[in-house]
Amino acid sequence: MSRAALRTAVALTSSAVVLLAGCSATGPAAPPSAAGQADGPHLRAEGVAFDPVAHDVDPDAECEGRGGREALAVLDRAAWPELGVPAGDAVMRCGNADGAGWRHIADGHTGDFGELAELVGAEWEDVAWFAIDRALEQPTQVEEYREDILNYDVLVEHVDGGETTRSWMVTVGVGLGSGQVITAFPDEQR
């Protein structure tokens, strides 16, 4: 999917959510997968179910032939008042394998995200992108990793038969001053 198509899809999804929000007298309306009501085994993060069709991305193709400093996407980043962090943007750059950005995530964490993806018959990139987006927009927690890096964490659960069978804390490291996504990886919770 091209960046323009990805932006259009995000804009349409955001517009639909805004339109739906006014339709319910008791709160925002949401499609079943967004409310975590998926059929069969699925992944869920902060109330949103992963949908392999709706969350289909191809960041490797988007970065093909591009320099590491080029932006792949600009994502919304939630405020975290406990640390004095305002809401803002997080920039996912194509990056490089031994540094930061998408290529770093792809080089070092394909297998990690692949384990989650395999459980629901999805591609690792789709699961990684879903988890990164959820961690930034609706984190379970935010922690200072160093003076210049914040870790946005989101709990991703594998749900089967209505029960959580496994869970991972997905960490997304973001440069505090730059707003750049440095890395992302899941850590299975015991």
Side-chain angles (χ1 to χ4, degrees), residues 43 109-125 127-128 168 186:
L43 298 174
H109 304 293
T110 297
D112 301 330
F113 282 110
E115 184 179 340
L116 282 75
E118 188 175 296
L119 292 170
V120 294
E123 298 295 325
W124 80 268
E125 299 96 328
V127 170
W168 299 260

Side-chain angles (χ1 to χ4, degrees), residues 1-12 62:
M1 177 182 290
S2 71
R3 279 195 330 214
L6 184 58
R7 285 187 187 135
T8 300
V10 169
L12 290 173
E62 292 294 322

Side-chain angles (χ1 to χ4, degrees), residues 10-21 29:
V10 169
L12 290 173
T13 301
S14 298
S15 297
V17 170
V18 169
L19 291 172
L20 289 172

